[in-house]
Amino acid sequence: GWPGLGAALGAALLARLGLVLYGLHQDGAMRVRYTDVDYRVFTDAARLVTEGRSPYRRATYRYTPLLAWLLTPNVYLAEVFGKLLFVAGDLAAAVVAYRALRRRGAAAGQACGCCAAAWLLNPLPMAVSSRGNAEALVALLVLATLYFVEGGSVGKAAVCYGLAVHMKIYPLTYALPIALHLQSKWCGGEGAVDMGCDKKAKFTFVGYLWQLFVKMLNRDVLLFGTVAGSVLAALTVAFYQLYGWDFLEHAYLYHLTRRDIRHNFSPYFYMLYLTAESKWSFALGLAAFLPQLLLLLVVSIAFYRDLAFCCFLHTAIFVSFNKVCTSQYFVWYLCLLPLVMPSVKMSWCRGVLLLFLWFVGQGLWLAPAFFLEFKGYSTFLLIWLAGLLFLFINSFIIVQIISHYQKEAQVAKKLKQQ
């Protein structure tokens, strides 16, 4: 129970603090810095805020001003403050995941083991937070949203969700699964997709969509949408008043229209690189969203009853098929992995094999990427082929997880008892 979680948290904290201290050494002694380049951007933006200026005067600052405000102690106290804040958010996310697992019916030892294996002792989240990346704060808000939704605290969930979308746009994709999940509770366990609340549902496509829409207009869904929308709107209006169009352009619009032609894990990067100067470049960038949207819609309808599992699949699909994909994006779905592990019944051998394939896919991509970035060799084609292989591996892993998912099992039973 809590003693086991406390030991895991202690070990995770020591490991992260050790990495933070090592990072200070490497930054001063080696040419390649340990600290994420974005952390310097955060700190420069925070310094501008302390001087009463816009954080968007710092080139490449593409985030909410709220983050720059949170990191003003980097200027007033010590530059390492932000890393410690991200580490704290990292550990807090594990605590929320543990409590969510316990609520979903997992035994104390199992919940602790899932949190330790998938998050607390996972090298990737450790590296991301200790290098000064803010993804842990978004992970905390996302986990808190799911925790409160499943606990029936719709207002608290909506506040966390509004903050999460303000920090990063990707949780916006959870809106449909959350709405379907809330309406299924309102209908007493039967979802709008099943038409369980209306025995006279029309068996036409238009009638189906109308029934789906009407059944989502219940009190919980409207409360969640109103509160989350109000939080997001209030933050947007406030920061627009302070920083004008620069805020909207860099915090929101940039991420919707972004076309990153630098090498990354995305299968689309080479196409966007080759068509960067083409008149079709913008249209191709928007078209890249279509496979994502179709897959997210299907997953939402199929798995909304288990909200955590649905959001995990959502995020894994969104990241794998996104037109920009870097290593830090993997944290977006890894934070949800502890919640789904008890529901995925596969052998340790199969699980280790899938994990091995995932790391091999990254390694095969990193090799040509290293020769491009540090040796100057033209390896774009090899990077793209490795990216396609990595997409295939991710898709295979997602299919394996779905095929070994024990539908609703103890989750639905536990939640119905509450």
Side-chain angles (χ1 to χ4, degrees):
W2 281 105
L5 180 65
L9 287 170
L13 175 61
L14 289 176
R16 284 160 172 79
L17 292 179
L19 287 172
V20 170
L21 292 175
Y22 170 76
L24 296 176
H25 164 72
Q26 180 172 323
D27 290 350
M30 301 183 189
R31 189 182 64 155
V32 178
R33 294 170 60 91
Y34 179 81
T35 299
D36 195 312
V37 66
D38 283 343
Y39 191 70
R40 292 195 321 219
V41 176
F42 298 160
T43 303
D44 291 343
R47 185 172 292 108
L48 289 169
V49 167
T50 63
E51 296 169 356
R53 296 192 286 170
S54 168
Y56 300 107
R57 292 178 66 88
R58 172 53 161 100
T60 72
Y61 185 76
R62 316 286 191 188
Y63 312 92
T64 167
L66 190 59
L67 185 57
W69 287 15
L70 285 173
L71 297 187
T72 52
N74 279 23
V75 180
Y76 292 130
L77 298 178
E79 193 169 316
V80 76
F81 170 85
K83 291 185 179 181
L84 299 179
L85 175 65
F86 300 154
V87 166
D90 200 342
L91 300 181
V95 173
V96 175
Y98 174 84
R99 295 185 64 178
L101 278 167
R102 296 289 286 137
R103 172 180 282 166
R104 290 161 65 86
Q110 184 185 36
C112 182
C114 290
C115 292
W119 187 257
L120 287 174
L121 304 181
N122 187 326
L124 184 57
M126 281 188 193
V128 168
S129 58
S130 64
R131 293 183 68 222
N133 195 286
E135 303 299 339
L137 300 183
V138 184
L140 173 60
L141 290 169
V142 166
L143 285 166
T145 299
L146 301 185
Y147 176 77
F148 286 128
V149 166
E150 293 192 338
S153 301
V154 178
K156 293 178 182 177
V159 171
C160 293
Y161 183 71
L163 285 170
V165 174
H166 177 73
M167 293 286 289
K168 288 277 186 180
I169 291 181
Y170 84 87
L172 189 62
T173 66
Y174 301 156
L176 180 58
I178 290 174
L180 290 171
H181 185 79
L182 289 174
Q183 65 78 31
S184 70
K185 282 189 170 184
W186 184 267
C187 290
E190 296 291 337
V193 174
D194 296 318
M195 302 307 173
C197 294
D198 188 354
K199 303 300 183 182
K200 298 180 180 179
K202 295 180 180 178
F203 294 98
T204 65
F205 183 69
V206 175
Y208 172 83
L209 291 179
W210 175 250
Q211 293 282 347
L212 181 64
F213 174 73
V214 169
K215 293 184 191 311
M216 283 200 296
L217 295 181
N218 61 60
R219 187 184 66 189
D220 284 348
V221 175
L222 292 176
L223 174 62
F224 184 89
T226 301
V227 174
S230 298
V231 169
L232 186 59
L235 289 168
T236 301
V237 170
F239 286 130
Y240 179 76
Q241 291 295 322
L242 287 172
Y243 304 117
W245 180 257
D246 282 347
F247 158 64
L248 294 178
E249 181 181 0
H250 294 291
Y252 294 143
L253 300 178
Y254 168 80
H255 299 284
L256 294 175
T257 60
R258 180 180 181 185
R259 289 168 291 151
D260 196 337
I261 60 173
R262 289 175 58 84
H263 55 286
N264 62 81
F265 287 101
S266 172
Y268 298 112
F269 111 85
Y270 197 43
M271 176 189 72
L272 297 176
Y273 171 76
L274 293 176
T275 61
E277 303 300 324
S278 167
K279 64 179 181 179
W280 298 104
S281 180
F282 180 76
L284 288 172
L286 291 179
F289 284 120
L290 294 178
Q292 280 178 314
L293 291 175
L294 179 61
L295 290 170
L296 295 183
L297 178 62
V298 171
V299 166
S300 297
I301 294 175
F303 297 105
Y304 68 88
R305 292 179 191 83
D306 187 349
L307 186 58
F309 186 71
C310 186
C311 289
F312 170 79
L313 293 179
H314 251 242
T315 317
I317 289 169
F318 181 87
V319 170
S320 299
F321 287 84
N322 201 30
K323 58 183 178 179
V324 180
C325 179
T326 63
S327 295
Q328 69 194 44
Y329 291 10
F330 303 153
V331 174
W332 296 356
Y333 58 80
L334 283 178
C335 71
L336 298 171
L337 184 57
L339 302 187
V340 307
M341 286 176 69
S343 301
V344 179
K345 307 297 182 182
M346 67 171 62
S347 65
W348 278 102
C349 182
R350 185 183 296 269
V352 170
L353 176 62
L354 295 179
L355 184 63
F356 175 74
L357 285 175
W358 190 65
F359 279 114
V360 165
Q362 292 179 67
L364 291 175
W365 183 92
L366 288 169
F370 171 83
F371 283 102
L372 171 66
E373 192 158 345
F374 292 98
K375 301 295 184 180
Y377 298 162
S378 179
T379 57
F380 286 102
L381 183 60
L382 290 176
I383 291 173
W384 176 62
L385 292 174
L388 290 179
L389 176 62
F390 191 52
L391 174 64
F392 175 79
I393 290 172
N394 280 319
S395 300
F396 177 72
I397 292 173
I398 291 170
V399 169
Q400 287 293 306
I401 289 174
I402 292 173
S403 63
H404 289 83
Y405 168 65
Q406 193 174 49
K407 293 183 180 180
E408 299 174 11
Q410 72 191 102
V411 175
K413 182 179 178 182
K414 181 72 177 178
L415 292 177
K416 283 182 180 179
Q417 292 172 354
Q418 297 176 353

